[in-house]
Amino acid sequence: MPESPGPQEPTLDEQIAAYQREFRDLDPQVEKVVSALGRLNRRMNVAYGRQVAELGISNTEWEVLKTLVLAGAPYRMGPGELAKRLGLTPAAMTHRIDRMAGEGLVTRDRDENNRVRVIVEVTDDGRAKWLEAMRMASNFEEDLLQDLTDRDRGALGEMLTTLLRRVEDAQPDAGGRLTDLD
């Protein structure tokens, strides 16, 4: 028997009206943009999570694979650097690597040049799952943006990049998880 949906989330307009009722100085245009971005981000994360689950991996495993692939061939990195890039503690990263090594997504070996240092590398299976996740995400993203012209897509990309730069300039340490928010 399927679960019945929980309470409906208010529409953006209903949410903004409620905010304005309680906080009269609110700029409704700003709030609509920010609220829409937040909702879009949440819904996209759910969609991506469902896609990678079909491949037998989690969002967190996907993030590790993505970070290693973005490092470039041979898709390897030390666990400390991985933890830093993902905003994780070393202990959390070790746990994640242990699980992924057990699933055959990554290997963990000693650095041949420095036997104290450990190197994490994507396996062929890990890279294949990453590529399939990228194909699935690409299809989802094309569908998401289907109603926008190429010009609209370019303009939206530039506007969002401007907002991202503003946040990055104001919060330069906000790339990963913040220890004060954990």
Side-chain angles (χ1 to χ4, degrees), residues 4-24:
S4 61
Q8 284 290 84
E9 185 174 33
T11 67
L12 285 177
D13 290 334
E14 290 168 341
Q15 178 179 325
I16 292 164
Y19 284 172
Q20 285 182 299
R21 180 186 68 230
E22 302 299 326
F23 182 66
R24 298 200 186 281

Side-chain angles (χ1 to χ4, degrees), residues 2 5 7 11 40 65-66 81 88 91 106 117 125 131 148 169 172 174:
T11 67
L40 179 61
L65 294 173
K66 176 178 74 170
E81 181 63 20
L88 297 172
V106 299
R117 186 168 186 252
D125 186 44
L131 284 169
L148 301 180
D169 289 346

Side-chain angles (χ1 to χ4, degrees), residues 20-158:
Q20 285 182 299
R21 180 186 68 230
E22 302 299 326
F23 182 66
R24 298 200 186 281
D25 293 339
L26 181 82
D27 182 331
Q29 287 180 317
V30 169
E31 191 57 38
K32 190 163 198 170
V33 168
V34 172
S35 294
L37 285 171
R39 287 183 185 199
L40 179 61
N41 182 56
R42 281 194 322 271
R43 285 164 174 77
M44 288 178 69
N45 283 335
V46 168
Y48 291 138
R50 287 178 178 151
Q51 289 178 338
V52 296
E54 288 179 30
L55 302 174
I57 61 176
S58 67
N59 272 341
T60 57
E61 291 168 333
W62 155 252
E63 289 295 327
V64 173
L65 294 173
K66 176 178 74 170
T67 301
L68 289 167
V69 169
L70 289 175
Y75 316 115
R76 54 192 337 205
M77 189 179 291
E81 181 63 20
L82 264 173
K84 186 176 181 181
R85 289 190 187 189
L86 292 169
L88 297 172
T89 64
M93 191 74 251
T94 298
H95 177 71
R96 195 169 292 179
I97 291 167
D98 288 346
R99 188 175 65 243
M100 292 178 72
E103 294 170 359
L105 300 171
V106 299
T107 60
R108 179 182 37 220
D109 294 307
R110 295 279 174 202
D111 186 336
E112 294 174 8
N113 300 320
N114 178 352
R115 300 299 295 162
V116 175
R117 186 168 186 252
V118 172
I119 298 292
V120 179
E121 185 172 344
V122 174
T123 64
D124 290 342
D125 186 44
R127 180 149 167 75
K129 288 193 182 214
W130 180 82
L131 284 169
E132 184 57 26
M134 287 299 294
R135 282 185 199 93
M136 294 167 83
S138 181
N139 290 336
F140 168 72
E141 292 157 0
E142 282 293 326
D143 187 55
L144 176 69
L145 298 176
Q146 70 180 329
D147 297 327
L148 301 180
T149 66
D150 286 345
R151 185 175 178 174
D152 290 342
R153 291 177 184 197
L156 179 60
E158 289 303 316

